[in-house]
Amino acid sequence: MNLIHYYRQQFLELISQFEPNWEEDRHYRFGFRWNTYAKSSFKEFFQMTQFPSEPLYLVYAIELPEKYKNTNISEVVKNASSSYELSLYLFSDKILLSSCVSIESLQQTTLGYVNQARGEMIDLVFSAIQMRVT
């Protein structure tokens, strides 16, 4: 069993006990990916990706609705302090906020990472101030 399959199995065991609402995306081609809507009002993603001669990366992301473009979320994310690499991607109809960690820097289980990243991101989202459009 290689590293990515070990962590996939760990995640599957943990979500079966604690968060069974995750659904695996069988069409994802760069490792493994799961989606869920049930935990919050945001769509959540978790993926394990590994490319040749690179370490395994874990990525947790939430999809925010377009209305968050009218907040200071980009400034909040830019100034955030995190042990993970945070990114913000703007699309025409949504924002994707992601957290990434190399398996070499992982300090907890895969689900532990998801929960910590989720908590950090939700704090950032609720720190964003709604701006008035004039």
Side-chain angles (χ1 to χ4, degrees), residues 28-105:
Y28 185 69
R29 300 177 313 164
F30 305 105
F32 301 103
R33 180 178 171 137
W34 293 265
N35 307 306
T36 186
Y37 293 94
K39 258 314 199 194
S40 67
S41 57
F42 306 117
K43 184 175 183 180
E44 297 177 279
F45 307 93
F46 174 63
Q47 66 190 42
M48 298 175 185
T49 303
Q50 187 170 25
F51 295 103
S53 70
E54 290 203 20
L56 173 62
Y57 286 94
L58 305 180
V59 179
Y60 169 79
I62 59 173
E63 186 179 291
L64 301 173
E66 183 179 15
K67 70 180 181 178
Y68 279 90
K69 290 181 180 179
N70 297 324
T71 70
N72 65 339
I73 188 74
S74 61
E75 287 298 313
V76 169
V77 171
K78 185 170 81 172
N79 296 319
S81 174
S82 176
S83 55
Y84 309 127
E85 181 181 325
L86 299 176
S87 300
L88 182 80
Y89 302 93
L90 297 173
F91 298 92
S92 62
D93 61 339
K94 62 187 168 197
I95 297 174
L96 192 65
L97 182 56
S98 71
S99 170
C100 179
V101 66
S102 164
I103 205 71
E104 296 168 346
S105 302

Side-chain angles (χ1 to χ4, degrees), residues 117-130:
R118 179 189 290 139
E120 286 184 15
M121 285 191 192
I122 296 301
D123 285 348
L124 295 176
V125 169
F126 286 113
S127 296
I129 299 171
Q130 184 74 31

